[in-house]
Amino acid sequence: MPEYEVKLKFHIFPYRKFKVSAKDEEEARELASAQAQHIIDTLDFSITNIKAKKYLMDKFL
C-alpha cells in the first residue's frame, strides 16, 4: 500500500476566556477542562498538501 505525506494547518485561536458558574473551584476546574476537551475534539483544520512518497524500485526487488 502506498504511503502519503499529508500537511495539515490547524486553525487555532490564540486565547479564549470562559465564564462558568460553579459552586467551588474544583467544579470550575472540571467545567473548564470539559470545555477545553470539547474545543480540542472539534478543532478546525485544513489539508494544505498531499503527496505520495516516492520509493526506489530497488526496495521492491
Side-chain angles (χ1 to χ4, degrees), residues 9-39:
K9 179 181 180 181
F10 288 97
H11 307 281
I12 300 173
F13 46 83
Y15 177 73
R16 184 175 277 184
K17 195 184 274 190
F18 295 99
K19 291 184 181 179
V20 296
S21 297
K23 59 185 172 201
D24 58 15
E25 188 175 333
E26 185 177 329
E27 184 182 14
R29 286 181 184 275
E30 290 173 7
L31 291 172
S33 179
Q35 183 65 39
Q37 188 61 49
H38 174 71
I39 290 171

Side-chain angles (χ1 to χ4, degrees), residues 7-12 43-49:
K7 293 182 181 177
L8 300 174
K9 179 181 180 181
F10 288 97
H11 307 281
I12 300 173
L43 189 62
D44 289 334
F45 68 92
S46 57
I47 298 171
T48 59
N49 188 11

